[in-house]
Amino acid sequence: KTYLMRLPLPQPSEAELADGDVYKGMARDSALLSLYRAPELLAEIKIALGIGDGELIKTDKQFDLKKAALDITVARLYGLSARDIEHILASFKVLRSKYPGYAELLRQMAREGLP
């Protein structure tokens, strides 16, 4: 975590932000993840983004899938390959021990080139 916090954030250009479905998707997916944990606190975000009730995450499995897809998207923005992601995951002992299913989901999505 110490090293990750020191990495520069990828800076999209104005054109990428204006036309970037990736960034819009990341914002929407982040909102959906947040709404799953605190729907009553984030009602304004739901309205602002036009998120319908049918789009809301309803299960922990859906949450994990959405979060893993978002994590892989961010890793790709940093230019990480599937091999890089696997190496990083191998070094996160706490993630592997406390959330082995999630770590494996990330590995699988990285290998399959998802999202």
Side-chain angles (χ1 to χ4, degrees):
K1 182 176 177 180
T2 300
Y3 297 110
L4 290 175
M5 298 297 289
R6 294 179 186 174
L7 289 173
L9 295 173
Q11 296 297 315
S13 67
E14 291 295 324
E16 288 174 314
L17 286 173
D19 189 41
D21 289 336
V22 170
Y23 297 100
K24 290 176 188 172
M26 287 173 56
R28 189 172 192 80
D29 288 349
S30 295
L32 288 167
L33 291 168
S34 296
L35 284 164
Y36 181 67
R37 296 288 188 226
E40 66 286 346
L41 299 176
L42 301 166
E44 290 179 29
I45 291 174
K46 182 180 168 192
I47 293 166
L49 293 176
I51 296 173
D53 288 340
E55 298 176 76
L56 295 175
I57 296 170
K58 294 178 178 45
T59 66
D60 287 343
K61 184 175 181 176
Q62 288 176 329
F63 181 89
D64 285 348
L65 287 168
K66 182 70 73 181
K67 185 176 183 313
L70 186 57
D71 286 346
I72 295 298
T73 298
V74 171
R76 299 281 190 234
L77 289 173
Y78 274 103
L80 299 177
S81 67
R83 186 174 177 188
D84 295 330
I85 294 167
E86 293 223 21
H87 176 74
I88 290 167
L89 288 170
S91 70
F92 287 173
K93 294 175 185 171
V94 173
L95 179 67
R96 282 194 340 257
S97 66
K98 288 193 172 196
Y99 307 102
Y102 185 72
E104 183 53 37
L105 177 61
L106 284 171
R107 276 192 193 91
Q108 179 185 356
M109 291 179 101
R111 280 188 224 125
E112 294 174 2
L114 299 172

